[in-house]
Amino acid sequence: YPLPSAKNEYRCFAECDGVVWMGASTGLTRYEKNASRPENVIQYFSAPRDLLDNDVQGLLAEKDGVWVKTAQGVTHIEMKVLSMKEKADILLDESVRYVDRRGMYSQRKLDKPRDLTSRVFYGHSDNDGEFTSNFALGEIFHYAVLLREKGEDDPETQYVRAIATRACEACLLLMNISGRGNGFVARSYMAGPEPIPDDGLFYRKKGGKAVCLDTRASRKRGIAGLEIDASHPVPERLARLYKDEGFTDDDITYKGDTSSDEITGHFLHMRYAYDILGPKDPELAELIRMSARNTMQHILDNGYYLLECDGKPTTWARWSPEYFEGGLGWVDACLNSAEILMFLKTTMHILGEKGHWQEAYDKLVEMGYADLPAKHHDRFCQACIAQGIDLFEDIMYGDHMLATCAFWNLIDLEEDEVLKEKYRKGFKSWRPSIGREHNPFYDMAFKLACPDEEIDMEALATWLYRTNPSRLAAGVSLVGRKDVAVRKLSGGYEETSFLLPPDERFISKYDRNPWRYINEDSGGIWYVESCYVYTLAYWMGRYFGFWKEA
């Protein structure tokens, strides 16, 4: 086997129960010749995630782990057996304690490195709505599994239901917090003293009005200082998320210029929130119905755009035929067409009515929206050729999440077999890029939508086994490993030659390339990420019967 460090870099070793630990000046290697899984024969541990530093000077092996002396101190590594549910529970507990920000789950910055208790009180993400909807979806499936297996009155079932409901409320709050009363959705919001970054359009509410703050984005758009209406009341149940912390409507600053990312996440999450949480919570069900209706009506009323306060579309929430005619829209059309069709299908599902929603859906189908998804791969390849880059260099990896959400839900809700097959062709056109991630959420959704297709369950098992039991974003020493060849693509982008197990690559959300040849992505030991990356995949698999606990 090729080893992570060069032969002349190894300086010490220890052996116990058939496992050999080998210390090098560039990290720690674990060798288990008879490992039950091939990917566990050679494992690599490195700084800063596993070790204080990579200069390993001494080892003491024991039955379930090893003591490692490095230049900066001693680390104890325990190879502890966890069930997948135990890991999911550990990760959820970490996020509830350290990531939750009024029901939103994206990430938190730490005041002290590695010290989760030092999380700062702020920490908005550009895509709070999308990431929180992903978290909420996972906990909705979590609740549904516990409801099925333990019953409604079980304390664990009740606990998880409360977490899922709170995250759902946080998403619905973003769909209502602007006070514009026209279905506009906010990206995120800050309360009270939370700092406002200079990375978008922000609106400070006060006295039933909202003022667009002076940022680079607002100056470029020409709306800095613009005052708009914000008098539409926020539903009291949703407002409690910030009022319970002592804030009022006049303490709120929300972020606009919302993208299709948030809208897609919201519609998928609302479908399952309505179906699973709604029956026992009529008030929540009605809030979901209202939010879906208002946002969908906003998009229809404004020519298939989400419009900002100046009457112009936001940067990325665009689903109109005009946008699809050229430029970026020509490539985006293949995904965005599926998104808007999914929104309409979900709205009809939640409201239990068709009417003008069905008329709009039929009109889009007549305009060719159902045929656009299957053109994705060809158009994407043409765009890459035009730019002189390799196929995987131009992927927006966040689009993998959007495509999965849009196609899975659209295919599931569509009843016409001809249209279903068109949408399946669209979903399949994404497989050359999505399939290489071996992401359980993506692959299970694909299998549910396209049951005749095969997915690699062993690769998904590896993903589950080798995902870290913490979302502390500490990086790894990937760059410089001797057993990983590097592929340099045409545009200079570097990837690993094979997909490393999750615990040997950087931690990130679902919007980064797992093949990327870098050590860290999410702020390292200064940040902790949301658990949804694991919990959504695990509980979805349990809910739909892809696996069960042994």
Side-chain angles (χ1 to χ4, degrees), residues 151 173 179 244 273 314 316 346 462:
L173 177 58
D244 285 351
T314 65
W316 297 112
T346 304
T462 296

Side-chain angles (χ1 to χ4, degrees), residues 222-387:
I223 58 174
L226 179 66
E227 185 177 80
I228 61 174
D229 179 63
S231 62
H232 194 81
V234 176
E236 186 60 27
R237 174 167 171 175
L238 306 180
R240 286 206 303 264
L241 287 165
Y242 54 84
K243 288 185 176 180
D244 285 351
E245 292 189 1
F247 300 113
T248 70
D249 289 341
D250 288 349
D251 296 315
I252 299 301
T253 301
Y254 69 87
K255 187 173 186 179
D257 198 26
T258 307
S259 73
S260 63
D261 301 27
E262 285 76 37
I263 308 302
T264 302
H266 286 318
F267 272 94
L268 177 63
H269 131 262
M270 285 193 295
R271 182 258 171 102
Y272 284 99
Y274 185 78
D275 289 351
I276 295 173
L277 299 177
K280 295 181 182 296
D281 192 340
E283 182 185 24
L284 181 68
E286 185 52 40
L287 289 169
I288 293 171
R289 288 167 59 86
M290 176 197 69
S291 301
R293 179 189 292 110
N294 291 348
T295 297
M296 192 70 254
Q297 194 61 56
H298 175 106
I299 295 171
L300 293 186
D301 288 345
N302 294 293
Y304 300 106
Y305 291 109
L306 193 70
L307 291 193
E308 257 298 350
C309 60
D310 57 359
K312 298 177 182 178
T314 65
T315 305
W316 297 112
R318 301 169 180 239
W319 305 277
S320 75
E322 294 80 17
Y323 176 61
F324 293 170
E325 287 177 356
L328 288 173
W330 183 75
V331 179
D332 286 348
C334 306
L335 171 57
N336 291 24
S337 57
E339 290 175 353
I340 191 67
L341 292 170
M342 186 270 276
F343 302 163
L344 284 163
K345 275 293 183 184
T346 304
T347 301
M348 288 186 275
H349 175 80
I350 290 172
L351 298 182
E353 61 186 44
K354 293 188 175 181
H356 72 292
W357 313 114
Q358 185 68 54
E359 292 175 7
Y361 184 87
D362 293 341
K363 180 180 178 182
L364 292 179
V365 170
E366 290 175 8
M367 293 167 59
Y369 273 49
D371 299 308
L372 285 170
K375 300 179 180 180
H376 163 72
H377 189 67
D378 288 344
R379 290 192 179 188
F380 189 72
C381 287
Q382 290 181 52
C384 291
I385 292 170
Q387 297 174 75

Side-chain angles (χ1 to χ4, degrees), residues 38-203:
E39 65 274 6
N40 294 343
V41 173
I42 297 290
Q43 292 179 257
Y44 177 58
F45 299 82
S46 61
R49 181 175 300 163
D50 309 307
L51 305 172
L52 295 172
D53 63 275
N54 284 328
D55 187 8
V56 181
Q57 301 175 352
L59 297 168
L60 177 62
E62 55 188 13
K63 183 177 180 181
D64 296 317
V66 66
W67 292 86
V68 188
K69 182 182 184 298
T70 64
Q72 295 183 28
V74 175
T75 299
H76 179 235
I77 295 175
E78 180 184 7
M79 304 299 288
K80 186 175 182 179
V81 176
L82 294 174
S83 72
M84 299 301 99
K85 181 183 182 301
E86 287 174 327
K87 187 185 291 188
D89 290 344
I90 291 169
L91 286 163
L92 176 62
D93 182 68
E94 179 184 77
S95 284
V96 170
R97 289 173 181 268
Y98 307 119
V99 179
D100 176 18
R101 185 171 64 90
R102 295 185 296 276
M104 292 182 287
Y105 286 82
S106 295
Q107 77 278 317
R108 281 291 189 102
K109 186 178 180 180
L110 307 177
D111 192 48
K112 298 176 183 178
R114 297 184 187 274
D115 183 358
L116 298 179
T117 65
S118 73
R119 67 196 183 284
V120 298
F121 65 91
Y122 56 92
H124 99 288
S125 163
D126 194 44
N127 282 344
D128 267 339
E130 182 194 6
F131 302 138
T132 301
S133 66
N134 298 158
F135 172 86
L137 184 62
E139 293 315 297
I140 290 167
F141 289 142
H142 186 177
Y143 163 70
V145 171
L146 295 181
L147 178 65
R148 184 170 65 201
E149 297 180 357
K150 293 189 171 187
E152 183 67 50
D153 296 332
D154 184 85
E156 185 181 6
T157 306
Q158 289 294 306
Y159 172 71
V160 172
R161 181 185 179 91
I163 292 172
T165 300
R166 177 177 166 86
C168 176
E169 291 169 343
C171 291
L172 297 176
L173 177 58
L174 292 175
M175 300 182 77
N176 290 274
I177 200 168
S178 73
R180 299 184 190 183
N182 66 352
F184 183 82
V185 180
R187 276 184 179 268
S188 184
Y189 77 95
M190 294 97 237
E194 292 184 55
I196 310 300
D198 188 14
D199 69 345
L201 301 179
F202 293 90
Y203 299 86

